[in-house]
Amino acid sequence: MFYHGYDNYIKHAFPEDELRPLTCKPLTRDRSNPLHYEINDALGNYSLTLIDSLSTLAILASSPSADAKKRGKALSYFQTAVGALVEQYGDGGDGPNGRGLRATGFDLDSKVQVFETVIRGVGGLLSAHQFAVGDLPIGGYSPRKGQQQRHVEVRVKWPNGFVYDGQLLRLALDLATRLLPAFNTPTGIPYPRVNLRYGVPFYVNSPMNYEDEGEDGICQPAQQSSSEATETCSAGAGSLILEFSTLSRLTDMHVFEEVAKRAFWAIWDRRSTIGLIGSGIDAESGLWTSPYTGIGAGIDSFFEYAAKSYILLSGASKINESGVYSTPSPTTPSVVTAPADQESAESFLRVWQEAHTAITRHLRRGKNYIHPHYIQADLYTGAARGFWFDSLSAFYPGLLALMGNVDEAIESHLLLTAVWTRYSALPERWSVSSGSVEGGLNWWGGRPEFIESTYHLYRATGDPWYLRVGEMVLRDIKRRCWTKCGWAGIQDVRTGERSDRMESFFLGETTKYLLLLFDPEHPLNKLDAPFVFSTEGHPLIIPRNARSHSKPSAEGSVIKEADLGSCPIAPPKLPFSMSTVAARGDIFHAANLARLHLMPTPNNIDSPLVEYSSDHPSISISDIRSPSNYTYFPWTLPPELIPHNAACTKIVSRPTFDITFPTDPSVVLNPGMLQRVLNGILVHSMSGLRMNMIQDVPPSPDDHEDKDLFRIQAVNNILLGKDEKVFLPNEIVSSVLNAQDPNFQRVRETSMLDLVIDVKSPDPASSSSEPNSTTSTMTPSSTASLIFSESPRNDVNCVSEPDSSPIRLAFNSLLQHVNALIHDPNPPQPQNHPPSNRLYLPAITPSGAGAAPLPDVAEALGPSPHGGARGSLIWDRIYLGDENCATALPAHVVREHQILVLRRGGCSFSQKLHNIPTYAPSKTSLQLVVVVSFEDEDGAGLPPGWLIRPLLEKVQMTPKGLARRNPIPMVLVGGGHETWDALTRAIAVGIKRRWKVLAQGIGVGNLIIT
């Protein structure tokens, strides 16, 4: 397959970029239409297909051949191709040999995309260089010893007379240097395109387009005439580290690694508060240009490079430890070395782990949707925005397998296999909801991602299922894509119409992964070293002589061994079966989601190989005929791989239902009935309100449920993310709901409530807060500014502190909840009211013989959606004690204060209450005891916001040992020092009871009654 495409490229297209396999002509840049980005972004007029094919030729050179005469064919091709490339573009040096037939290096008037040029051009040259000098293995090929050291010229004479002395590395350096002007941006995010000769004259705001002389700097006139869009994508800006780090380590020019890392972290630091990154971002402003996110086009390789950067850089020194720094020139950007916590290999692993967690939480739909798959979602809320996947996202199962998430990878790959089985290719975009091609994107251009994932899963599991999948793919490509001059793409996977283009990645990746899949003994498959495949399929490694011998980073100790990820041991095979995957109970769930059971049986012969096969016995009937049926999945699966008692498990379907409230004739329906707040929807009127619910929320211990809870997934057709909530004001609910309605019933929480505190604002001119006149203090702590921050948080730039304790994180979560109700993230105009100082702290009542009911007082109101506090709080006399374990409190404390605040610990809760003297109940005497739990006590390891309910095992007693006639109510709150500081400066305190809603007797997890 590879040779058929490569030989025809050399014959009909070289030295141009790509081949037109239908017309047997070269494909070149579209100079008549500079905006034809589909062609011009990748084709730089530098023999792209040849560069992309070099590493495949090197890999082929290690594969056994049935014909002994052809065993050296691939190596000979590789060495000849390197010589041909040098002939066209020179040897990358400054001398007379630096000029080739077409150009001196890559001094070409070609505006190309930075990302495509790095992964195809720079990556292809670097990988081929590493094969040429022995950094990567070629069977039977051994360059002379001692000449692979840095700073020493390599000289290897090949049988064809060509002397290799590092030409490919110098050419890679030349090409990468021409891309550096794109990185000179305020954000560090590179511009999407650059001219290989002239730099970035089309970006009018680039510092490189201003004269150095003059007071203000003057834009050169020739550069003011046109401008270029500055929007790039997360994948394009953040997927450069593998190539640029390898180049920096081989040349000691660290500017490449520096700018690549700066771009990566510029993308990641702009993730949303729920951990997702967008697809489009402006390189100059750093603002997201699209609110959509997913795992496919525009985002895909960012996740890939986060994981693989950890592998590639493991054991290598940080670039600021080697003592060698590049000196930026007038055409290269000045960069600042990244912080230490962004330099280590482990930092990239943490990014992958956090990104994978966010993807699993917000983008992955589980088994309750027939079969697990990934969707498109809102960047800020996680709400569903599209129910399709694209062919680029087929890389994800392979990445999961590489990082040890094998079961999730197998599930994801099954659906891709089913869709390939249906179309004998992967359409560019396929809709899970409709079961058809999405938006007319019906082509397959020879993309390698599905084969790549198949390869990685076979390496992780050794299951023959993946060999059968590979065989299916191989036969389908031969049957549908063969032409007499190469391999065509498929313009329409439904009709078989072909396109007149053989993309460079077909030879650079697709054929490479197929070869490695079927050759388990290949040296690369046996290489015990931290090498990676780039997103263009080029193997890269930082050789030992380019690594530092410094001690491992202290950062590495932060990550536990269990968090690093490893491939689990394969489960035992079922009796009378050879494949664990084929024996899975959910194997046909994916086939059902792909609608294979609805497909007709094709019996026609529809391959261009029919005529060619008449005198070529190597072409079998399987190569030219479509599968006879879809009974086997994939269709090449032989019966011996299927267990004798194979059965499919029942497809799970989660209950869903809609609730529609009647329309109130006196209410005028308008958009103001619903208000978007930071973490959900605030409902102002229930007239005509419609809620769509699904039962998919695992219950917490406080829910006292043995079933999954319902979740509102849409309100009036507004889709919600999994972490978004619907807020209903209590006064609205109480006037509308019918207590006997089984579909929507309000029930008071028996143990949880909110402790409401009005806090005196801290004096910015003072380093310590003075106690207010109504608060007695004994042990005031330093003020925690975290509690009182009322400014709206930026969705893009807000990042949690990595060293925050669980209790501190609980307060972060709480404050987000309060601010969400107060602040609209997109207000129509600036708010004029002062920031609110009212806090709502989760509190829990005790259980046991000594528990007393809460006072029967007016409850505090929930936060106002317009900002500030609503209403006043009833208790304004607060006393802060200590643990209250040793002696009884003075009698005047309980007579003159309504709230008593105690520290948890030192003795039991019952003992604390025992040391409170008796008093006559009145409105001004003690009403409530608040016990504050600190971080170092039991329960600190609970999830944020969770509290353990106190137990008062004895009836409350007075200090004199008598049963207390009027038991004292008590609540427990968390937060430790932050809560204590808040109560130190409290002006008033109240309580607000919590309510929950039951739908058909089951709780609704994301419905909050305020």
Side-chain angles (χ1 to χ4, degrees):
M1 177 179 287
F2 173 84
Y3 287 126
H4 179 65
Y6 181 79
D7 288 341
N8 277 286
Y9 164 74
I10 295 297
K11 179 180 179 180
H12 298 289
F14 180 76
E16 303 299 340
D17 285 314
E18 288 183 346
L19 169 68
R20 294 185 180 272
L22 296 179
T23 56
C24 304
K25 295 179 179 179
L27 178 64
T28 61
R29 292 178 58 81
D30 187 354
R31 300 204 178 266
S32 63
N33 181 13
L35 299 180
H36 192 181
Y37 294 137
E38 180 185 359
I39 294 292
N40 294 336
D41 273 354
L43 306 191
N45 198 29
Y46 54 80
S47 308
L48 178 62
T49 296
L50 182 68
I51 293 176
D52 231 356
S53 301
L54 288 175
S55 62
T56 309
L57 282 168
I59 289 173
L60 275 169
S62 296
S63 294
S65 174
D67 187 351
K69 296 181 180 179
K70 295 182 180 179
R71 287 178 182 171
K73 177 180 179 180
L75 183 58
S76 175
Y77 269 36
F78 172 76
Q79 294 169 346
T80 301
V82 172
L85 189 70
V86 171
E87 182 182 18
Q88 295 294 325
Y89 304 99
D91 66 357
D94 297 328
N97 293 332
R99 179 171 183 80
L101 298 178
R102 288 171 68 89
T104 300
F106 296 100
D107 182 23
L108 301 161
D109 185 10
S110 299
K111 184 171 73 174
V112 295
Q113 191 185 79
V114 173
F115 171 65
E116 292 289 353
T117 306
V118 169
I119 65 171
R120 301 198 200 194
V122 176
L125 291 166
L126 286 174
S127 183
H129 166 75
Q130 294 199 293
F131 277 112
V133 300
D135 290 343
L136 293 168
I138 298 178
Y141 171 73
S142 300
R144 288 190 296 174
K145 302 289 184 181
Q147 296 192 359
Q148 292 92 339
Q149 302 297 319
R150 289 185 295 171
H151 315 297
V152 178
E153 288 190 1
V154 177
R155 291 188 62 83
V156 183
K157 187 173 183 179
W158 289 338
N160 60 2
F162 182 84
V163 176
Y164 183 75
D165 60 2
Q167 293 95 328
L168 296 179
L169 179 60
R170 292 194 294 274
L171 286 171
L173 178 61
D174 175 83
L175 182 57
T177 302
R178 297 176 184 277
L179 303 178
L180 287 179
F183 291 84
N184 206 332
T185 65
T187 62
I189 300 171
Y191 288 120
R193 296 174 181 87
V194 65
N195 187 289
L196 295 178
R197 177 175 293 167
Y198 300 112
V200 288
F202 30 80
Y203 294 116
V204 296
N205 294 326
S206 171
M208 298 200 170
N209 295 332
Y210 290 82
E211 299 285 0
D212 293 334
E213 299 180 358
E215 184 176 348
D216 300 319
I218 303 173
C219 185
Q220 299 174 13
Q223 297 161 353
Q224 298 182 28
S225 58
S226 63
S227 63
E228 181 86 6
T230 56
E231 178 185 357
T232 185
C233 63
S234 296
S239 305
L240 311 172
I241 294 180
L242 300 185
E243 293 84 359
F244 272 15
S245 292
T246 303
L247 179 61
S248 286
R249 305 298 173 130
L250 295 178
T251 63
D252 279 337
M253 297 186 64
H254 292 166
V255 65
F256 301 104
E257 185 169 345
E258 290 166 357
V259 297
K261 286 181 175 179
R262 183 186 178 207
F264 176 91
W265 291 108
I267 296 293
W268 181 244
D269 288 345
R270 287 169 169 80
R271 66 192 182 278
S272 67
T273 55
I274 60 175
L276 299 175
I277 61 172
S279 57
I281 191 169
D282 188 270
E284 292 181 342
S285 67
L287 300 177
W288 297 111
T289 58
S290 170
Y292 284 22
T293 186
I295 61 170
I299 307 176
D300 49 355
S301 56
F302 180 89
F303 307 127
E304 179 183 2
Y305 274 46
K308 291 182 177 179
S309 293
Y310 164 68
I311 298 173
L312 182 73
L313 298 175
S314 293
S317 66
K318 301 176 185 178
I319 56 175
N320 60 355
E321 289 180 348
S322 62
V324 181
Y325 290 87
S326 55
T327 303
S329 69
T331 60
T332 61
S334 299
V335 295
V336 179
T337 303
D341 62 348
Q342 296 181 357
E343 282 289 333
S344 66
E346 291 82 6
S347 64
F348 295 97
L349 176 62
R350 283 194 293 271
V351 171
W352 157 249
Q353 291 171 336
E354 292 177 24
H356 177 238
T357 299
I359 290 169
T360 303
R361 173 64 181 161
H362 300 288
L363 304 183
R364 187 174 188 265
R365 305 176 91 187
K367 296 180 180 179
N368 49 307
Y369 293 90
I370 301 179
H371 186 80
H373 57 276
Y374 303 91
I375 62 171
Q376 319 303 308
D378 186 275
L379 169 64
Y380 302 104
T381 67
R385 292 291 180 261
F387 303 95
W388 47 263
F389 67 78
D390 55 33
S391 60
L392 285 169
S393 64
F395 87 99
Y396 197 62
L399 181 60
L400 290 171
L402 185 68
M403 300 306 291
N405 306 100
V406 177
D407 194 63
E408 183 183 351
I410 291 173
E411 290 178 334
S412 304
H413 188 268
L414 282 174
L415 179 59
L416 297 171
T417 305
V419 175
W420 184 289
T421 303
R422 175 174 173 178
Y423 293 103
S424 295
L426 274 187
E428 184 68 8
R429 186 181 292 180
W430 186 78
S431 171
V432 177
S433 59
S434 67
S436 59
V437 173
E438 171 82 8
L441 305 180
N442 50 12
W443 60 85
W444 181 73
R447 290 199 187 278
E449 285 77 15
F450 176 59
I451 299 104
E452 174 188 358
S453 287
T454 304
Y455 162 72
H456 283 299
L457 272 165
Y458 180 64
R459 298 300 306 163
T461 65
D463 197 301
W465 164 272
Y466 298 104
L467 296 179
R468 294 291 175 171
V469 175
E471 180 186 357
M472 174 179 70
V473 171
L474 182 64
R475 292 189 183 279
D476 283 339
I477 293 174
K478 290 173 66 177
R479 178 172 56 85
R480 306 191 75 187
C481 303
W482 181 92
T483 74
K484 65 179 181 179
C485 291
W487 301 96
I490 303 175
Q491 188 63 37
D492 191 332
V493 296
R494 299 165 298 184
T495 65
E497 177 187 356
R498 292 174 294 167
S499 60
D500 194 15
R501 183 179 183 184
M502 185 177 74
E503 298 249 22
S504 71
F505 53 67
F506 181 81
L507 299 182
E509 294 185 82
T510 306
T511 57
K512 180 183 298 170
Y513 285 121
L514 281 170
L515 167 71
L516 291 172
L517 172 66
F518 293 113
D519 187 4
E521 300 301 317
H522 192 281
L524 273 184
N525 289 331
K526 299 291 186 180
L527 184 59
D528 184 15
F531 84 97
V532 294
F533 290 97
S534 73
T535 195
E536 189 69 11
H538 296 303
L540 295 171
I541 190 172
I542 297 177
R544 291 182 182 275
N545 50 43
R547 292 175 176 269
S548 171
H549 299 289
S550 60
K551 297 180 180 180
S553 168
E555 296 270 334
S557 61
V558 177
I559 300 179
K560 299 178 181 178
E561 184 176 353
D563 297 332
L564 297 181
S566 59
C567 290
I569 299 175
K573 296 180 175 63
L574 293 180
F576 306 103
S577 70
M578 298 172 58
S579 169
T580 303
V581 176
R584 288 176 63 98
D586 62 349
I587 186 169
F588 281 97
H589 295 184
N592 180 280
L593 188 57
R595 282 74 164 182
L596 286 185
H597 58 294
L598 303 179
M599 295 301 296
T601 300
N603 292 314
N604 59 305
I605 296 177
D606 59 355
S607 173
L609 277 175
V610 173
E611 180 180 353
Y612 179 76
S613 65
S614 59
D615 57 349
H616 287 77
S618 63
I619 306 299
S620 68
I621 191 66
S622 298
D623 290 321
I624 61 176
R625 172 168 287 177
S626 298
S628 59
N629 60 67
Y630 295 93
T631 302
Y632 295 133
F633 168 48
W635 58 266
T636 54
L637 192 67
E640 60 266 21
L641 287 185
I642 303 176
H644 70 288
N645 60 346
C648 183
T649 58
K650 183 179 180 180
I651 294 178
V652 178
S653 178
R654 293 291 184 184
T656 61
F657 72 95
D658 291 344
I659 294 179
T660 302
F661 294 90
T663 302
D664 186 347
S666 63
V667 176
V668 178
L669 300 180
N670 62 79
M673 294 172 55
L674 302 178
Q675 179 183 357
R676 169 69 71 177
V677 292
L678 182 61
N679 57 346
I681 297 290
L682 178 63
V683 178
H684 294 288
S685 172
M686 299 184 69
S687 177
L689 188 71
R690 185 173 73 255
M691 297 181 179
N692 176 259
M693 299 197 184
I694 182 170
Q695 188 178 359
D696 68 350
V697 180
S700 68
D702 287 337
D703 294 319
H704 307 293
E705 298 274 2
D706 57 358
K707 298 180 180 179
D708 286 351
L709 305 181
F710 279 106
R711 173 175 63 88
I712 301 174
Q713 60 180 351
V715 178
N716 286 5
N717 294 327
I718 299 174
L719 294 173
L720 301 179
K722 289 183 179 179
D723 290 339
E724 286 195 289
K725 297 174 175 59
V726 176
F727 301 97
L728 292 177
N730 190 36
E731 56 269 28
I732 295 177
V733 177
S734 58
S735 63
V736 173
L737 292 188
N738 181 352
Q740 306 302 318
D741 185 356
N743 291 319
F744 204 82
Q745 186 177 15
R746 186 183 66 154
V747 179
R748 176 179 286 182
E749 290 273 8
T750 58
S751 60
M752 292 296 297
L753 69 152
D754 288 316
L755 185 71
V756 187
I757 309 173
D758 279 345
V759 181
K760 180 181 178 181
S761 299
D763 184 0
S766 175
S767 59
S768 62
S769 60
E770 296 293 333
N772 61 68
S773 59
T774 60
T775 306
S776 301
T777 62
M778 294 178 64
T779 55
S781 305
S782 61
T783 300
S785 60
L786 168 68
I787 291 185
F788 308 101
S789 174
E790 293 291 341
S791 301
R793 299 180 66 180
N794 188 311
D795 279 354
V796 175
N797 294 317
C798 182
V799 182
S800 299
E801 295 180 7
D803 59 347
S804 295
S805 66
I807 296 297
R808 193 176 184 88
L809 292 175
F811 266 84
N812 273 327
S813 176
L814 171 67
L815 289 173
Q816 289 182 30
H817 170 74
V818 176
N819 283 329
L821 294 173
I822 296 175
H823 299 288
D824 188 336
N826 297 297
Q829 58 186 8
Q831 300 291 333
N832 295 321
H833 59 74
S836 171
N837 290 325
R838 177 167 291 185
L839 301 180
Y840 291 75
L841 305 183
I844 191 168
T845 60
S847 63
L854 293 171
D856 186 14
V857 295
E859 292 188 23
L861 298 176
S864 168
H866 306 294
R870 295 194 301 163
S872 59
L873 303 181
I874 59 173
W875 300 318
D876 58 3
R877 304 184 66 82
I878 305 145
Y879 183 89
L880 273 74
D882 203 343
E883 293 178 345
N884 200 38
C885 292
T887 59
L889 286 171
H892 71 88
V893 170
V894 294
R895 291 196 305 265
E896 299 173 1
H897 296 85
Q898 298 160 313
I899 300 295
L900 171 62
V901 183
L902 302 175
R903 294 177 181 269
R904 182 180 179 183
C907 59
S908 67
F909 295 107
S910 294
Q911 182 64 36
K912 294 177 187 293
L913 298 180
H914 173 76
N915 288 333
I916 298 176
T918 57
Y919 61 95
S922 69
K923 293 183 178 180
T924 59
S925 63
L926 182 62
Q927 302 289 314
L928 181 68
V929 174
V930 178
V931 180
V932 180
S933 180
F934 286 76
E935 301 172 3
D936 55 352
E937 297 165 349
D938 293 340
L942 291 173
W946 287 34
L947 295 168
I948 296 179
R949 193 172 188 183
L951 174 63
L952 299 179
E953 67 276 7
K954 300 177 182 180
V955 174
Q956 290 191 29
M957 308 293 288
T958 67
K960 295 183 178 181
L962 301 176
R964 195 180 293 275
R965 177 178 298 180
N966 298 301
I968 305 172
M970 187 197 90
V971 296
L972 175 71
V973 296
H977 295 289
E978 287 87 353
T979 299
W980 191 269
D981 291 339
L983 290 165
T984 298
R985 293 183 288 108
I987 300 172
V989 175
I991 58 173
K992 181 180 181 300
R993 291 175 175 85
R994 291 187 178 186
W995 299 80
K996 65 180 179 180
V997 171
L998 301 181
Q1000 300 179 356
I1002 300 175
V1004 181
N1006 65 334
L1007 182 59
I1008 307 297
I1009 297 180
T1010 64

